[in-house]
Amino acid sequence: MTTAAALGPNESLIDERESRARLITPALVLDLDAMERNIATMAAYAADHGVAVRPHAKTHKSVQIARRQLEAGALGICCATLGEAEALAAGGVEGLLITSPIVAPAKINRLMALRRDHESLMVSADDMDNLRALEGAAAASGFVLDVVIDVDVGLHRTGTRDAEAAAALAEVADASESLRFCGLQGYAGHVQHIEDFGDRRTTSHGDLAPLREARDRLIAQGVEVPIVTGAGTGTHDIDTEIGLMTELQVGSYVVMDVEYLDVQARDGGDWRFEPALFVRSTVVSASHDGSATMDAGLKCFATDGPLPRFHTGVPIGAHYEHFGDEHGRIVFASANERLKIGAALECIVPHCDPTVNLYDHYHCVRGEALVDIWPIEARGRH
């Protein structure tokens, strides 16, 4: 059981029978059994296909979840921000790769402080000036910093503009005494939620061409490329088809969300991963026909994608609507349907990463029992 203080108003319910039903809401609920099945399923898939897993902590922001991914065979953990890496490192997590550029001098100083205690730390870079700044800071600190060169594969968010630029950066890193070139990164975030599987597959294979070209160019020049890292939950079983990726930066698979449930899996079948993350809420008003009001609104869910989807506690056909900062509306399929005030329900989260960032804790359940409460250590860390 977690021993950290200030676990919130539900702490007294830990290990009580049927305590899931008594949670003070709104509460972020993590189904440990489903999460552990997802972790095991991804680990088995990767082993069967000869790739490694370096899951992305931007999804869960949790030391406890990262530890379980590592215990299942992950070779490390990705972090979207320096702050996430600092939070996970403080919890004893190693093998961290920061997937976004660290540019500001103050952040480079923080990066060097983190590297001082964590030799396995890696950072991505896509710019020569930034690479030289990292090199100078590492030299001044007296150690070697591991870097991967980020290649733009169509997202146009970060990454070098082409394979030639990526190879030039890699050659500089490879020749440096203060940098160690570890490989290439190419993350196609724009592909992950293409709804049709065939379209997603075609787009991903095409957009990864600059990453393959950069790898092949470097190998032809005698530069080893130990790591080619990228992919995501939406392309985990697509990007392994072309013999390019050595590791998968999958994130959302660990808990899933409505965004991914709305995306077609291979062969039109079911996803091999299941929802494990829910927001539990309570009906607080039921005065009107055709709808009721719950205590989970805009402050409880990410709003950059689809709406939350009801998982339990409502009549078939009911749907969610935002109803203000603190409230959501349950719209029934029939005006004759009702829910009583105090009734509990749970929603599948719409987009897991930013939803998690709204909460301080996971309420960890097995079946109907609250078994632990985990802090979300990397929440809001930049």
Side-chain angles (χ1 to χ4, degrees):
M1 182 184 298
T2 302
T3 58
L7 295 182
N10 290 306
E11 183 176 5
S12 64
L13 295 175
I14 294 174
D15 291 332
E16 293 287 323
R17 292 185 61 187
E18 306 298 321
S19 46
R20 183 172 185 168
R22 291 184 281 146
L23 288 173
I24 296 172
T25 62
L28 188 66
V29 174
L30 178 63
D31 184 325
L32 294 183
D33 294 328
M35 180 197 73
E36 289 166 359
R37 286 192 291 269
N38 288 343
I39 291 173
T41 296
M42 182 62 81
Y45 175 86
D48 289 345
H49 290 81
V51 295
V53 180
R54 194 184 300 270
H56 220 305
K58 68 179 182 179
T59 294
H60 55 71
K61 305 170 181 63
S62 163
V63 169
Q64 292 283 0
I65 297 177
R67 287 175 180 168
R68 282 156 177 76
Q69 290 172 319
L70 292 169
E71 289 166 1
L75 53 77
I77 300 291
C78 290
C79 297
T81 70
L82 174 59
E84 286 181 358
E86 290 169 330
L88 294 190
V93 178
E94 296 290 343
L96 299 174
L97 165 59
I98 302 173
T99 58
S100 300
I102 305 300
V103 174
K107 283 194 171 183
I108 291 177
N109 289 339
R110 283 168 53 192
L111 179 70
M112 295 305 126
L114 184 61
R115 165 58 183 81
R116 187 172 295 114
D117 297 323
H118 298 274
E119 186 177 351
S120 62
L121 178 70
M122 289 190 292
V123 65
S124 65
D126 67 1
D127 176 85
M128 189 65 75
D129 289 341
N130 181 223
L131 193 68
R132 291 298 190 188
L134 295 174
E135 180 182 37
S141 300
F143 48 65
V144 175
L145 177 67
D146 289 348
V147 298
V148 297
I149 303 304
D150 190 14
V151 183
D152 179 27
V153 290
L155 181 58
H156 302 333
R157 185 169 64 193
T158 63
T160 61
R161 63 184 302 160
D162 54 34
E164 182 179 0
L169 289 171
E171 290 168 3
V172 169
D174 188 56
S176 173
E177 295 183 358
S178 300
L179 301 176
R180 180 183 296 113
F181 172 64
C182 293
L184 300 170
Q185 171 180 278
Y187 176 64
H190 60 296
V191 178
Q192 303 305 315
H193 294 96
I194 294 175
E195 183 174 350
D196 180 79
F197 180 85
D199 291 344
R200 192 162 74 252
R201 183 174 184 268
T202 298
T203 303
S204 186
H205 286 183
D207 285 1
L208 288 176
L211 185 63
R212 178 186 292 279
E213 183 183 346
R215 183 202 62 176
D216 293 348
R217 182 187 291 260
L218 287 166
I219 291 173
Q221 294 170 355
V223 178
E224 293 186 8
V225 186
I227 292 173
V228 181
T229 183
T233 299
T235 60
H236 77 280
D237 56 352
I238 290 172
D239 296 344
T240 50
E241 295 175 334
I242 56 177
L244 177 60
M245 298 295 181
T246 67
E247 58 182 53
L248 306 177
Q249 293 186 359
V250 287
S252 299
Y253 82 97
V254 73
V255 293
M256 294 297 281
D257 56 24
V258 175
E259 278 196 325
Y260 271 113
L261 294 177
D262 284 344
V263 169
Q264 185 184 59
R266 180 178 287 272
D267 299 326
D270 294 331
W271 280 96
R272 52 173 54 91
F273 313 110
E274 59 190 289
L277 188 66
F278 311 95
V279 171
R280 190 169 182 88
S281 181
T282 302
V283 175
V284 296
S285 181
S287 301
H288 300 283
D289 294 338
S291 69
T293 302
M294 54 191 270
D295 64 353
L298 291 164
K299 292 181 180 179
C300 293
F301 299 105
T303 58
D304 62 329
L307 291 169
R309 183 171 300 166
F310 289 120
H311 181 62
T312 60
V314 302
I316 294 173
H319 70 270
Y320 176 95
E321 292 180 355
H322 289 300
F323 211 23
D325 289 353
E326 311 293 348
H327 300 105
R329 174 187 276 160
I330 307 160
V331 181
F332 302 120
S334 167
N336 297 323
E337 294 173 329
R338 302 188 72 86
L339 284 172
K340 294 182 179 180
I341 62 168
L345 51 96
E346 291 186 5
C347 294
I348 302 172
V349 300
H351 182 186
C352 48
D353 306 20
T355 297
V356 168
N357 203 51
L358 298 171
Y359 292 86
D360 292 322
H361 302 101
Y362 289 110
H363 293 81
C364 303
V365 300
R366 292 193 188 276
E368 295 307 309
L370 176 71
V371 298
D372 209 346
I373 298 176
W374 293 345
I376 302 174
E377 296 91 346
R379 175 196 177 192
R381 297 288 297 270
H382 299 290

